[in-house]
Amino acid sequence: MDEVEEDAFVNWRPLGSKGYVSCETLYPCPSSWTLQASDQNEGFRWGTATDGAKPIDLEYMRTFCCGHGGLVAFVRDESKLVLQLGVPESEEHVHVCTLSGNLVENVELRGISSTRNRILHVGWTGDERLVVVTDRGWTLVYSEVGSGHSSCDEFSLGTACEQEGLEEVKVFSTGVCARTRENHFWGVGDFEARMPFRLADPDMPGATVHCFDVIPSLGGELEIVVAVGSDLAIVDAGQSLKFATGLGPFVQVASSPNGLMIAAVNCHDIIYIFHNENIVVEISLEEAAMGEDDSSFQTPSGTPTLLAWCGVNAVVAHWEDTASTLFVDVDGACTWIPVGEVVTIAPELDGAVFLRRKGVQFCRLVPQDAVDVLEPGSVRPGALLHDARELLGKEDVRSASELLAIVDQGDLEEAVQTCLNAAGFELSVSRQQSLIRAACFGMAFAPLASHDTKSRYKRGTKVVELARSLRILNALRQPHIGLPLTLVQLGSLGLPRILERLCTLGHFLLALDICESMGHTPQNILLKWGKRKISATPANVADKNLFDALVENLTAYPEVPWSSIAKHALQRGRKYLASMLIDLDTAVKRQIPLLLQTGGLEDAVRKSSVEGDPDTIFQVIKQGGPGVRKMLLESPSKEYQGTEAILKEVERIRGHALYLDYLAQARDHDTLALFHSRQGPLSVNVTASTSWNHAKAHLESVEEAKKEGKLLSSACVAAQRLQQIQGGLEASSGRDIFLGHSVAGTVRQCILFGLTNDAKKIAKEFKMSDRQFAMISLDAMCRAKDWVAVTHFMSKLDRRGAIQPEDVMEYAVAHNAPMHALQGIVDAVDPDIEPTRKSRMAASIGMEQQAPEDQSTMFQGIRNAVGTKKLSDILFQSR
Amino acid sequence: MDATEFTTKRLRAEFRKAILGTLDSIRGSKALVLEPYFIQPLGLVAEATVLKEHGVDMFCTTELDEGITALYGEKGIGRVVYLTHAEIGSIHRACKHASMSFKANQNVELYVVLMPRHMQMAEIMFEEEGLKGDTRFLHIPYSWVPLSRDVVSLEMHDVLKELMVESNPGCLYGIAHALYQLQEMFGSASRVQAKGEWSCRIATMLGRMRREAGKNVPASAADGLDDIILMDRTVDMVTPMCTQLTYAGLLDELLGLEYGQIRGKGDSRKVSGLNETDPIFREIGDMFYSGARVWVNSTLKEIQKFRDSEMAGADVAALKGFVSDLREKFSRMPLHTSLLEKLGGIMQSSGFTARQKIEADILDDDVDMNLVYDRMYKGDDVFSVLRLMCLYCAVNEGIPKKEYDILRKDLINTYGFEHIASIHALQMARLLYRKEERKRSFFSKAKSSMGLLVADGNPADCENPEDVHYAYAGYAPMSSRMMQKACSAEGWSTRDDAGHATMRVQQRVNDYGFPDDIEASTTSTQGSESKQTSKKRNVLLVFVGGVTQAEISTLRFLSNKGKVHCNIMIATTSILNGSTLLEKLIK
């Protein structure tokens, strides 16, 4: 294990007296990264991963890196091109590799050569879209680069750029900024909106513009720093602000990744770092060279070829001819890094990636915690804890005493934290393990140092989280994946973006593993895999086989977005596959739009009916058009009940004619009969009889089907007949008092107005029962207060007749008959034949002792009734 | 506050918050357009005065009245808000009204607020009307209107008509969706039971919604719902056809109690506040009529007694108690006395008693049909006659041909030919039909097996009842008995004597957090019986198609008396009685 520690320190260079700069090899992959045997040996070459492809020679290439350990794009460098005669003019290509050198895609730039456009710049957006800008302002944006079939979107930066021609272009996370040959600046802040706008001109007429850089900002406002004349200027859409006056002319300028500072090199080889337009660092080449004690060191001459930020607190400069690299931090401390020739430098949040012809290196400041633990001879608590754990590993008894010493000093907490932080910094798996081991060892003794169980628990979960994140990072850094990230970068990039990258590069299994270990839903990954699978499958593979392959792979996951995959299949022209995939989705709502697209109208109708959501059904009806109607009429089925009902509702809303038309076609006699029999009483004359005739016809078929006699259908005829009779009566009597009444009402009106014969005729014709007729007559008499007639009526009553004395009494009482009239009714009952009846009737009107019951006795009656089998008996006795 | 009261309070609070929040998000002076039937229920959630404070300067209904649009200009209204149920008819009416409003005044902004979910349908309809560009669509994820501490209603009054007459099952999805939303708020129920075809479809839909939600399926909550029990109204059509005899039930039947209000007819004035806020109503609303009378009398006597004798010697605390009693109870005592008198007057009428006798006879299976004809001849309200016919039909599973024909003929002759449509509609709804075969009906079997009628020689004491027979003077509502069975540990058995479809589902999630529902067996629930003794289960009883006041009273009674070991909350599509039920079907 001691060797491992030495390994770490070997890559460190002291930075003045305050710390170290580490410069580690990312690729070719060092053996300490992984515990498995590495498949990438010494022979690192760019673009070798694909079979038979020629490796990319960086000598003839321009190189553009995407931040966050992302992809690298290589474009032919035209300035170094040797004219080859006889070779047909081929399309320009952008070769895209991972940082581990794997070629993932050759993006063909269609139409570049034929239009005599020259590629000026290639860059990457924040979401890894590749942007290619030509000298005529033609901009191509490629998404899903690395998937093997990226899609292109193109637009122009505007006529001004086209006419003037571009001199220099920078792509930043959301947009692009370009300098024309006339030194005008044009920018696009957002690739979605694509609205080119002009920035202010640097306020120095006639002065030469040397270079510029975009200042990253959170607000989204495009802001650039321009080296103009012998000054620098901050320029945005509205104004230009000069600073560093007279220090130039500057040949290189770079904004820090957080946009707070600006680094620049002038033609006198002095490196400046500005913060808020003030100089914080000013260091000349001579000063920097003085600090170097290596005798073989050769001071470079001339201005540096590359200048970039290394993290947010330091810059690195590289001289191509002497292959020397200088590291300067914002406090002015500097050191030379023995990295050799560098092709390009990609700034990161916490360091810088050096791309070399034979490898990739990562340079960064070593954080204090790592120095504490890993610096040889360190006696900081972290280092002691680490030592103690190492001793334990060697079964050395000194381990315990060392540990106890830390506890005694009260440094255990700090020691554990330092070890964890150092582990987070480390790239080497074995060192990560040894540091976490040390931290855990320390934590085991935490109860000795503190009794705060809550914070201990928190620390425990933190260790698990750290270990999980490190595992992910280690996996991503594997050469076949090639996404070297640090913990800091992981935090700023976020897991979803990483998963997206993995999916684009086709590393679905790793993405799934990460997703599951972090407890995220894998839906998106499954969807992307499904889409990729469909796109990648050759057209001659049958839909069924492809379907089986998809299901076989995805069936283990319960949340597969089948509809979205089906949609993709449909876009790729696999209709049958799409229809099979739709079936797998759990939500009908998602299935319906696709079913309608695939022509599965019948399925759509059936499924939406079964699901029963009126909203979905409505959409099916609207989108399915007359087809739905036709289908329902041609093959009626109980399954379609839901759709049928909504269709009826829709037709009803649209108007009676359509509604009835549909009902007639559907042979829905029930509803038709209901509709017409409702219309009948509402209308008059001809329309009424039409309605009644319709109602009759439909009721007849209903009643015939149910074998329920013909009562209702014949009633429709009777209704018309009654209307005729009423019309006749009104005509003959000259009063409009009959229409609108029922049979009983008409009879009553007749009796009231003395048309007794007509009344009898009507009662007979409409088969009114004798009892009802008698009651109507009685009612009419009572209404007319004709008590003499009532008494007369009473006297003619038949004991077995339709009407009984009690009925007469009830009507009389209900119409407030005077006492003498009631008396007359009672008197008409023969006391000899029916004594009880007579006395009961007498009692009910209070003629004898028995008073009419009050409320309480009535309820007594109800209450007593409850519980006996015949509820009604007692209820009625109490009357 | 028990679990159910908490639930309804939270429902009301969130619904209210959503409505007011939505209104606030629409700036400026606005007109609120409502479905006519939703005016009163809305008042229970957010009062008109509160709505006014939130910028509603005008209320109108979706009835098309050209005059109303002129008022927009007068009142300076720039925005018209449609608070609409997510249902095809309501949306269509809102759309027509919006079209009228827009024609009258092109400057108005239209807002459609859908409850309880967004519907694509609304956008399509407004687009067809050419209004989509001028309309914004919002939605409020609530639709349960809390009617009292343990009753929530969806205010879907046409459910029975749609299902029974129009064979349109569309509303079932709405009910299922609302139940699912309820579970999202209060946690998944562990067990769902359903009786009747529609209830089973709803239960199936609930299962499908859970599967669609996948991992987002609502978790079960410690103090949330335990059981959902669904029942179709058609499973028990006997009970709503009988006259309710509880105080609240009678107020509903005879005076038209709705949402705690009696709208005065003619010269009688409007009475409001007949709900939980009224301490007397809270006390006696669920009682049998005479029980309520006795309670009122004895309370009055108590007060009198205290004033007469004990007041002189009472200490300050006792006096304080008396005064607060006075304020709480006495202020509304005259109102209830007069209402009781009014009810008594109607109940004394010959028509009422005669109908009571016929009802009792029908339930006893010993009815003289002539009495029913008489009710027609004597000019009873057509609905009360139809109720008797439907009751007879429900009890005996059909009406013998001869009587059936006479009844139908006489009904049409007496009440007019427009009732051809009524009878036809009821036949379509299978509430009226001819008896085909001579077999014993389910009800006559259930009478004894479920104890629906009071046993011989054991008269029920309706003032201090022991069982639910009191609500219908000797008849225990079959629906309540069925719910009682469902609430018990073993629940409904999947084999139903009456042939109603029955479902029992155990709502579970598997180890991965995905729904994994199974059919609940009787044994699995018995295992949890030991748990039930310690904790009262929170049970949601869902009446698909409506419930009567008296049924609610009996269910409360069962819960209060400990006959079921549960906290009961009742969810319904609407509150109804036999007459309103038939009216809705026929209209």
Side-chain angles (χ1 to χ4, degrees):
Chain A
M1 286 289 170
D2 285 340
E3 295 154 19
V4 172
E5 281 177 36
E6 276 175 23
D7 265 345
F9 192 67
V10 153
N11 295 322
W12 293 8
R13 296 277 298 170
L15 181 68
S17 57
K18 41 181 279 199
Y20 296 92
V21 177
S22 82
C23 188
E24 290 163 277
T25 307
L26 290 177
Y27 302 105
C29 176
S31 59
S32 67
W33 272 13
T34 164
L35 296 178
Q36 303 146 13
S38 167
D39 55 348
Q40 192 172 23
N41 44 33
E42 300 304 308
F44 178 90
R45 276 178 166 179
W46 291 102
T48 51
T50 46
D51 318 314
K54 261 205 313 196
I56 299 164
D57 187 353
L58 268 53
E59 182 80 28
Y60 301 106
M61 289 288 168
R62 289 195 291 155
T63 312
F64 304 93
C65 295
C66 171
H68 286 106
L71 302 173
V72 191
F74 300 100
V75 191
R76 245 184 342 186
D77 188 345
E78 288 175 351
S79 64
K80 293 176 185 167
L81 218 57
V82 185
L83 189 67
Q84 284 179 306
L85 289 171
V87 177
E89 197 173 83
S90 63
E91 291 287 359
E92 286 273 7
H93 277 89
V94 179
H95 310 287
V96 181
C97 296
T98 63
L99 273 180
S100 56
N102 299 343
L103 182 73
V104 290
E105 187 169 357
N106 279 323
V107 181
E108 192 182 290
L109 304 177
R110 285 199 192 87
I112 294 268
S113 328
S114 53
T115 52
R116 302 279 168 203
N117 266 298
R118 193 169 60 83
I119 296 172
L120 189 63
H121 185 82
V122 175
W124 296 89
T125 65
D127 49 1
E128 285 222 316
R129 279 186 285 176
L130 180 75
V131 182
V132 179
V133 186
T134 69
D135 57 347
R136 290 284 162 198
W138 186 24
T139 309
L140 303 135
V141 183
Y142 291 86
S143 35
E144 297 219 1
V145 178
S147 61
H149 36 73
S150 48
S151 53
C152 177
D153 226 355
E154 50 189 60
F155 68 101
S156 162
L157 286 177
T159 43
C161 294
E162 282 168 27
Q163 282 161 10
E164 291 173 23
L166 300 183
E167 188 69 40
E168 190 181 2
V169 174
K170 299 272 174 184
V171 174
F172 57 98
S173 67
T174 59
V176 60
C177 183
R179 173 162 69 95
T180 64
R181 296 204 173 103
E182 315 273 302
N183 287 331
H184 296 139
F185 290 92
W186 284 84
V188 167
D190 180 359
F191 281 125
E192 313 309 323
R194 295 170 186 179
M195 294 287 287
F197 61 94
R198 191 174 158 183
L199 282 84
D201 286 331
D203 193 13
M204 289 182 86
T208 329
V209 174
H210 306 285
C211 56
F212 79 97
D213 195 19
V214 177
I215 304 174
S217 75
L218 290 174
E221 287 286 308
L222 178 57
E223 207 177 29
I224 56 174
V225 54
V226 186
V228 54
S230 53
D231 306 342
L232 290 177
I234 306 261
V235 175
D236 63 16
Q239 58 175 353
S240 146
L241 192 77
K242 255 189 298 182
F243 69 104
T245 321
L247 297 176
F250 292 94
V251 288
Q252 296 263 9
V253 60
S255 168
S256 69
N258 58 5
L260 293 177
M261 293 198 228
I262 287 156
V265 183
N266 70 5
C267 59
H268 313 300
D269 303 342
I270 302 174
I271 297 173
Y272 290 93
I273 297 177
F274 302 96
H275 181 232
N276 290 343
E277 290 94 47
N278 301 318
I279 300 171
V280 288
V281 171
E282 179 178 10
I283 189 164
S284 68
L285 197 52
E286 290 78 30
E287 280 175 74
M290 262 193 288
E292 184 57 46
D293 42 15
D294 187 350
S295 57
S296 64
F297 178 73
Q298 189 192 351
T299 312
S301 61
T303 50
T305 41
L306 296 169
L307 175 77
W309 281 83
C310 178
V312 293
N313 288 322
V315 285
V316 282
H318 179 76
W319 284 263
E320 196 181 344
D321 44 356
T322 52
S324 36
T325 310
L326 178 67
F327 180 98
V328 184
D329 83 349
V330 292
D331 297 326
C334 63
T335 186
W336 293 90
I337 305 165
V339 62
E341 47 72 43
V342 171
V343 174
T344 195
I345 304 174
E348 295 282 358
L349 269 179
D350 56 344
V353 174
F354 295 147
L355 259 72
R356 308 174 54 215
R357 268 186 224 162
K358 296 287 175 199
V360 179
Q361 279 181 308
F362 184 53
C363 167
R364 56 181 163 166
L365 257 176
V366 182
Q368 193 55 47
D369 283 336
V371 175
D372 281 356
V373 182
L374 297 172
E375 191 179 29
S378 167
V379 288
R380 303 285 306 160
L384 295 179
L385 180 62
H386 192 222
D387 284 350
R389 180 61 184 85
E390 297 298 301
L391 288 171
L392 182 75
K394 291 172 189 162
E395 301 183 352
D396 191 323
V397 284
R398 283 175 298 165
S399 168
S401 60
E402 287 221 5
L403 184 88
L404 285 175
I406 303 170
V407 175
D408 282 347
Q409 298 273 319
D411 290 337
L412 189 64
E413 185 89 348
E414 185 194 337
V416 169
Q417 192 58 52
T418 329
C419 283
L420 288 178
N421 290 350
F425 163 80
E426 265 305 333
L427 296 182
S428 145
V429 177
S430 55
R431 270 200 298 277
Q432 288 168 357
Q433 284 178 336
S434 96
L435 286 162
I436 290 184
R437 225 174 3 236
C440 292
F441 180 52
M443 271 164 54
F445 294 90
L448 291 177
S450 132
H451 297 289
D452 184 358
T453 46
K454 209 172 176 184
S455 76
R456 275 210 308 272
Y457 173 73
K458 246 184 177 170
R459 171 71 49 74
T461 50
K462 249 182 166 172
V463 173
V464 175
E465 273 168 24
L466 175 71
R468 205 176 269 158
S469 306
L470 286 176
R471 272 163 180 253
I472 291 174
L473 294 178
N474 294 340
L476 292 173
R477 214 183 297 128
Q478 293 298 318
H480 68 279
I481 308 282
L483 288 174
L485 290 171
T486 62
L487 211 53
V488 178
Q489 292 164 21
L490 172 71
S492 91
L493 192 64
L495 201 57
R497 289 277 304 283
I498 290 173
L499 294 176
E500 215 162 281
R501 279 185 178 189
L502 287 174
C503 290
T504 311
L505 294 176
H507 302 302
F508 293 101
L509 202 56
L510 179 61
L512 263 182
D513 283 347
I514 293 177
C515 208
E516 274 172 13
S517 74
M518 299 302 274
H520 288 234
T521 50
Q523 258 187 331
N524 241 339
I525 298 165
L526 301 175
L527 170 62
K528 289 202 166 158
W529 181 83
K531 282 184 174 178
R532 180 74 61 86
K533 177 82 186 167
I534 292 169
S535 308
T537 309
N540 58 6
V541 174
D543 283 0
K544 182 77 183 77
N545 298 349
L546 183 51
F547 174 76
D548 290 342
L550 284 167
V551 171
E552 192 187 349
N553 282 291
L554 295 178
T555 196
Y557 302 94
E559 285 195 317
V560 184
W562 290 111
S563 288
S564 308
I565 299 177
K567 197 172 170 187
H568 185 75
L570 198 60
Q571 282 165 1
R572 308 290 296 192
R574 288 181 179 269
K575 211 164 161 184
Y576 180 57
L577 174 66
S579 62
M580 281 193 288
L581 289 171
I582 296 166
D583 261 348
L584 296 174
D585 204 291
T586 50
V588 174
K589 222 169 262 120
R590 293 193 290 263
Q591 297 181 351
I592 295 300
L594 287 165
L595 280 174
L596 291 171
Q597 275 182 45
T598 51
L601 184 63
E602 195 175 330
D603 271 350
V605 170
R606 186 170 43 79
K607 287 189 170 185
S608 59
S609 296
V610 170
E611 195 213 18
D613 181 358
D615 197 25
T616 318
I617 296 173
F618 188 85
Q619 288 172 53
V620 172
I621 290 174
K622 284 289 161 184
Q623 287 178 33
V628 179
R629 199 176 152 141
K630 199 167 151 227
M631 201 187 108
L632 290 179
L633 290 173
E634 278 171 9
S635 52
S637 150
K638 186 110 203 309
E639 271 190 321
Y640 303 149
Q641 191 196 23
T643 307
E644 215 178 329
I646 303 284
L647 183 64
K648 278 184 205 166
E649 191 99 17
V650 170
E651 300 284 15
R652 183 156 66 186
I653 283 171
R654 285 170 65 195
H656 278 164
L658 289 163
Y659 178 54
L660 294 179
D661 183 36
Y662 175 74
L663 290 177
Q665 288 184 46
R667 295 172 195 284
D668 185 350
H669 295 298
D670 263 324
T671 314
L672 278 169
L674 192 62
F675 179 85
H676 289 297
S677 56
R678 273 178 186 156
Q679 288 294 312
L682 297 177
S683 41
V684 283
N685 302 335
V686 188
T687 34
S689 62
T690 331
S691 291
W692 284 124
N693 286 337
H694 279 303
K696 174 177 173 273
H698 293 298
L699 280 169
E700 256 170 9
S701 23
V702 170
E703 288 183 324
E704 205 174 284
K706 290 187 187 163
K707 298 196 177 105
E708 284 206 335
K710 285 186 174 177
L711 194 130
L712 292 184
S713 44
S714 41
C716 295
V717 184
Q720 293 181 68
R721 171 79 186 125
L722 182 70
Q723 270 185 356
Q724 271 177 15
I725 293 173
Q726 287 170 334
L729 284 169
E730 288 196 351
S732 63
S733 67
R735 309 182 205 223
D736 45 355
I737 47 169
F738 294 102
L739 270 172
H741 279 287
S742 65
V743 175
T746 314
V747 169
R748 181 180 297 112
Q749 291 297 82
C750 287
I751 296 175
L752 275 175
F753 290 92
L755 306 168
T756 323
N757 285 338
D758 286 315
K760 279 182 184 157
K761 245 166 67 188
I762 294 170
K764 197 173 170 206
E765 183 169 352
F766 289 93
K767 293 182 189 141
M768 185 179 268
S769 71
D770 293 346
R771 182 164 163 82
Q772 188 170 15
F773 185 76
M775 280 191 174
I776 291 171
S777 325
L778 190 55
D779 182 50
M781 281 181 247
C782 290
R783 277 186 192 205
K785 310 274 179 210
D786 187 356
W787 306 120
V788 180
V790 172
T791 325
H792 180 67
F793 181 83
M794 182 72 200
S795 63
K796 285 203 303 187
L797 275 186
D798 182 354
R799 267 182 66 204
R800 288 187 205 83
I803 210 153
Q804 294 300 311
E806 284 87 352
D807 299 316
V808 183
M809 181 66 94
E810 194 183 326
Y811 272 97
V813 171
H815 286 93
N816 299 322
M819 202 53 185
H820 66 84
L822 297 177
Q823 182 109 42
I825 296 169
V826 175
D827 288 346
V829 179
D830 191 340
D832 298 333
I833 305 170
E834 295 173 301
T836 36
R837 175 178 255 178
K838 182 160 184 156
S839 68
R840 199 164 67 231
M841 282 175 65
S844 72
I845 55 164
M847 279 166 63
E848 278 160 40
Q849 315 89 319
Q850 271 180 291
E853 84 275 43
D854 66 10
Q855 256 170 36
S856 61
T857 51
M858 186 192 115
F859 282 103
Q860 199 65 41
I862 293 181
R863 234 178 314 143
N864 290 344
V866 171
T868 60
K869 190 154 180 292
K870 292 216 67 185
L871 302 178
S872 48
D873 286 355
I874 298 174
L875 244 170
F876 256 66
Q877 274 165 23
S878 65
R879 268 179 75 193
Chain B
M1 195 182 343
D2 65 9
T4 51
E5 190 162 355
F6 167 75
T7 310
T8 45
K9 278 209 164 140
R10 195 177 138 200
L11 267 179
R12 178 178 185 268
E14 300 215 358
F15 198 173
R16 182 185 169 96
K17 205 171 107 192
I19 290 179
L20 298 181
T22 308
L23 287 175
D24 286 343
S25 73
I26 302 167
R27 303 216 172 272
S29 163
K30 46 203 163 261
L32 186 64
V33 187
L34 300 167
E35 289 277 295
Y37 68 83
F38 196 60
I39 297 172
Q40 277 187 302
L42 180 65
L44 296 177
V45 180
E47 305 80 358
T49 47
V50 177
L51 293 174
K52 275 184 188 148
E53 282 167 21
H54 289 264
V56 177
D57 290 334
M58 195 174 136
F59 292 91
C60 42
T61 65
T62 47
E63 282 155 8
L64 298 180
D65 174 8
E66 298 275 351
I68 211 87
T69 50
L71 283 173
Y72 294 157
E74 264 173 50
K75 296 201 173 186
I77 280 162
R79 285 151 198 88
V80 185
V81 184
Y82 294 87
L83 190 60
T84 307
H85 278 100
E87 174 262 317
I88 188 164
S90 299
I91 296 174
H92 174 68
R93 285 186 288 274
C95 187
K96 285 285 163 217
H97 193 276
S99 165
M100 179 190 78
S101 299
F102 195 72
K103 258 180 215 146
N105 185 354
Q106 304 267 324
N107 294 324
V108 290
E109 289 173 28
L110 301 171
Y111 291 84
V112 175
V113 183
L114 292 164
M115 301 174 293
R117 62 190 181 116
H118 179 71
M119 269 196 158
Q120 213 61 44
M121 184 193 283
E123 291 186 24
I124 298 173
M125 283 198 206
F126 273 72
E127 192 173 9
E128 283 176 353
E129 202 71 28
L131 294 169
K132 198 184 170 197
D134 304 284
T135 313
R136 273 191 57 206
F137 297 90
L138 309 166
H139 76 277
I140 291 175
Y142 305 98
S143 55
W144 291 103
V145 176
L147 297 179
S148 70
R149 65 184 182 277
D150 53 358
V151 182
V152 291
S153 161
L154 280 175
E155 294 306 311
M156 295 163 83
H157 295 275
D158 289 331
V159 166
L160 287 178
K161 182 180 166 190
E162 283 169 22
L163 290 170
M164 298 173 79
V165 182
E166 292 168 2
S167 325
N168 177 2
C171 56
L172 297 180
Y173 187 87
I175 300 169
H177 185 264
L179 284 172
Y180 187 79
Q181 277 183 330
L182 212 58
Q183 293 184 80
E184 279 183 324
M185 276 179 88
F186 298 104
S188 267
S190 56
R191 189 167 67 160
V192 175
Q193 296 183 71
K195 194 180 266 300
E197 183 200 345
W198 312 326
S199 293
C200 288
R201 279 173 84 162
I202 292 174
T204 316
M205 284 176 186
L206 282 176
R208 197 160 39 222
M209 284 173 188
R210 281 167 63 81
R211 281 200 297 284
E212 276 179 30
K215 235 176 181 163
N216 302 323
V217 73
S220 57
D223 206 28
L225 290 175
D226 292 307
D227 275 35
I228 293 179
I229 299 168
L230 294 138
M231 193 173 98
D232 288 6
R233 180 69 273 173
T234 45
V235 168
D236 174 17
M237 266 300 176
V238 174
T239 309
M241 296 306 160
C242 294
T243 311
Q244 312 167 58
L245 294 173
T246 59
Y247 182 44
L250 279 168
L251 286 176
D252 175 20
E253 297 267 3
L254 303 181
L255 301 177
L257 173 72
E258 258 187 333
Y259 309 105
Q261 288 186 349
I262 296 172
R263 278 192 243 183
K265 279 177 210 148
D267 53 343
S268 58
R269 64 193 174 86
K270 183 175 155 184
V271 180
S272 58
L274 290 173
N275 50 33
E276 253 110 57
T277 54
D278 180 345
I280 299 177
F281 190 79
R282 193 174 173 142
E283 200 74 46
I284 64 175
D286 295 332
M287 286 185 187
F288 183 65
Y289 171 80
S290 61
R293 264 186 99 89
V294 169
W295 187 91
V296 169
N297 279 340
S298 66
T299 310
L300 281 173
K301 271 184 200 144
E302 236 170 70
I303 294 171
Q304 180 103 31
K305 194 175 134 211
F306 187 86
R307 205 183 57 194
D308 291 350
S309 57
E310 294 169 28
M311 199 143 89
D315 58 4
V316 180
L319 274 176
K320 203 174 159 195
F322 175 67
V323 171
S324 75
D325 248 24
L326 266 189
R327 192 171 347 137
E328 204 179 60
K329 291 182 179 164
F330 206 73
S331 62
R332 287 186 63 99
M333 200 60 103
L335 170 72
H336 288 286
T337 331
S338 78
L339 283 176
L340 282 165
E341 290 299 333
K342 209 170 186 176
L343 291 179
I346 301 171
M347 291 166 77
Q348 246 183 320
S349 67
S350 59
F352 187 86
T353 38
R355 273 197 304 277
Q356 279 291 300
K357 178 179 155 51
I358 297 170
E359 273 178 26
D361 284 351
I362 293 175
L363 292 176
D364 277 336
D365 203 7
D366 180 22
V367 67
D368 179 2
M369 271 300 186
N370 287 324
L371 295 177
V372 184
Y373 307 149
D374 267 14
R375 294 329 309 157
M376 268 189 261
Y377 304 157
K378 289 184 179 168
D380 274 13
D381 171 28
V382 62
F383 291 112
S384 67
V385 175
L386 282 171
R387 263 173 92 157
L388 292 174
M389 287 167 68
C390 291
L391 178 65
Y392 184 90
C393 190
V395 166
N396 296 295
E397 283 170 19
I399 305 175
K401 183 175 185 311
K402 188 180 148 216
E403 280 82 5
Y404 191 38
D405 283 349
I406 297 176
L407 280 169
R408 288 190 295 173
K409 182 201 80 193
D410 281 354
L411 192 97
I412 294 169
N413 273 352
T414 312
Y415 298 102
F417 287 98
E418 61 263 37
H419 290 288
I420 295 175
S422 306
I423 291 173
H424 181 52
L426 293 177
Q427 283 178 345
M428 282 169 84
R430 291 288 289 169
L431 287 183
L432 286 181
Y433 50 95
R434 205 175 67 197
K435 194 167 173 76
E436 293 293 343
E437 46 192 318
R438 291 210 155 270
K439 75 164 199 224
R440 213 170 146 219
S441 70
F442 169 68
F443 186 83
S444 64
K445 282 182 234 161
K447 264 197 290 198
S448 53
S449 67
M450 290 192 196
L452 297 184
L453 296 188
V454 179
D456 268 339
N458 181 19
D461 183 353
C462 288
E463 282 157 34
N464 296 298
E466 288 300 314
D467 204 350
V468 290
H469 295 103
Y470 76 91
Y472 290 89
Y475 162 64
M478 182 156 72
S479 54
S480 306
R481 280 280 191 253
M482 284 177 165
M483 286 298 195
Q484 189 178 358
K485 173 93 166 92
C487 288
S488 67
E490 68 265 30
W492 282 326
S493 83
T494 34
R495 214 180 56 83
D496 187 284
D497 300 335
H500 299 300
T502 309
M503 257 175 85
R504 301 155 54 89
V505 179
Q506 195 97 32
Q507 297 201 130
R508 309 186 309 177
V509 284
N510 62 16
D511 297 344
Y512 305 103
F514 287 95
D516 179 25
D517 302 345
I518 52 159
E519 190 185 316
S521 63
T522 322
T523 45
S524 73
T525 47
Q526 272 169 351
S528 58
E529 210 171 344
S530 54
K531 258 192 272 167
Q532 287 174 1
T533 48
S534 56
K535 187 194 159 241
K536 269 193 166 187
R537 293 171 74 81
N538 293 330
V539 179
L540 182 74
L541 305 179
V542 187
F543 285 89
V544 181
V547 66
T548 64
Q549 291 279 5
E551 280 171 307
I552 295 173
S553 298
T554 54
L555 291 167
R556 281 182 187 152
F557 178 88
L558 288 173
S559 173
N560 292 340
K561 291 269 169 177
K563 303 233 172 209
V564 290
H565 191 70
C566 325
N567 294 315
I568 284 180
M569 184 165 138
I570 297 158
T572 178
T573 47
S574 65
I575 301 280
L576 47 76
N577 63 42
S579 303
T580 52
L581 185 158
L582 293 176
E583 200 183 331
K584 286 267 150 48
L585 283 181
I586 287 168
K587 215 165 57 178

